[in-house]
Amino acid sequence: QSALTQPASVSGSPGQSITISCTGTSSDVGSYNLVSWYQQHPGKAPKVMIYEGSKRPSGVSNRFSGSKSGNTASLTISGLQAEDEADYYCCSYAGDITYVFGTGTKVTVL
Amino acid sequence: QVQLQESGPGLVKPSQTLSLTCTVSGGSISSGDYYWSWIRQHPGKGLEWIGYIYYSGNTYYNPSLKSRVTISVDMSENRFSLNLTSVTAADTAVYYCASLVVITGNFEYWGQGTLVTVSS
């Protein structure tokens, strides 16, 4: 069970859009629509931003959106704001009642 | 709203057993809506799923940790626990408890996390 692959860092200017990829395999991301995304600020617990690939929990800004194509899931943040600077992790069901997280991406707002 | 709070020793000696408890408030651990989960984060690193337990007592573990992990539930106290045996410095991490939604497969509520250091 290997971690899902994410870019180590992504950056953008305020107001821009950025996309974070999350690449797995046909055994996890590619087989199930159970990808979730988490935002983690320094010293804080993660917070779910997207679940079931593209659904937003109540209270999460509609600037956050998720999608999936094949074995790769993506998180897009539009209208980037300073408060979006954080680490982001994807997570996928991986079969056999197991879950796997991504390697994490540090988002920097320039 | 469900709240979770981890508790346990912050320092464990090598080869000993790491034991943590997560107390759930604002909801019943026997509701059936969640798998009660443990996740850890090594210093400066990413998240690692450890395992989870359903209120029925069924447990599911990360294959890489399965031989050393036991998760149990105490419904009378509305809490669940993690035991990790034969710890080494590589087990030094922030340990989080979290509620995994059964239907949608996302970790909805998280504890604040507790740092456990393995050192003599």
Side-chain angles (χ1 to χ4, degrees):
Chain A
Q1 189 185 59
S2 299
L4 308 175
T5 301
Q6 298 180 232
S9 62
V10 173
S11 61
S13 300
Q16 287 187 330
S17 293
I18 62 169
T19 296
I20 303 168
S21 61
C22 169
T23 301
T25 68
S26 57
S27 297
D28 39 60
V29 175
S31 288
Y32 307 99
N33 198 30
L34 290 175
V35 174
S36 50
W37 288 90
Y38 301 85
Q39 176 192 65
Q40 185 180 34
H41 286 109
K44 300 295 186 182
K47 172 188 174 184
V48 60
M49 306 302 283
I50 295 288
Y51 67 98
E52 287 188 308
S54 61
K55 297 179 180 178
R56 275 189 312 276
S58 174
V60 172
S61 171
N62 60 9
R63 298 185 298 103
F64 291 84
S65 61
S67 62
K68 190 185 87 167
S69 177
N71 296 338
T72 298
S74 298
L75 173 71
T76 297
I77 308 175
S78 58
L80 199 61
Q81 299 180 0
E83 66 205 50
D84 300 331
E85 186 161 293
D87 293 328
Y88 291 83
Y89 294 91
C90 60
C91 180
S92 175
Y93 180 68
D96 293 328
I97 323 294
T98 63
Y99 282 79
V100 61
F101 282 96
T103 50
T105 298
K106 181 177 180 58
V107 169
T108 301
V109 181
L110 301 172
Chain B
Q1 174 167 320
V2 175
Q3 293 184 312
L4 299 96
Q5 177 68 57
E6 305 90 351
S7 59
L11 180 65
V12 180
K13 288 182 167 51
S15 80
Q16 293 191 341
T17 296
L18 179 161
S19 296
L20 295 173
T21 295
C22 181
T23 301
V24 180
S25 59
S28 173
I29 207 165
S30 61
S31 71
D33 295 333
Y34 299 106
Y35 294 118
W36 302 100
S37 310
W38 288 98
I39 294 157
R40 69 180 182 179
Q41 186 170 33
H42 295 103
K45 301 296 184 183
L47 300 167
E48 180 181 28
W49 171 71
I50 297 172
Y52 53 76
I53 189 166
Y54 197 47
Y55 78 98
S56 61
N58 288 350
T59 53
Y60 308 93
Y61 301 132
N62 185 324
S64 68
L65 297 169
K66 187 174 182 178
S67 63
R68 298 194 294 130
V69 173
T70 302
I71 298 176
S72 59
V73 65
D74 182 344
M75 284 194 283
S76 66
E77 296 289 339
N78 218 39
R79 66 189 185 192
F80 60 106
S81 299
L82 169 71
N83 274 4
L84 181 66
T85 62
S86 305
V87 297
T88 69
D91 295 308
T92 293
V94 174
Y95 286 77
Y96 293 100
C97 58
S99 62
L100 173 63
V101 183
V102 171
I103 296 175
T104 59
N106 61 281
F107 298 94
E108 184 173 24
Y109 298 108
W110 296 67
Q112 65 185 25
T114 186
L115 174 64
V116 179
T117 301
V118 179
S119 175
S120 55

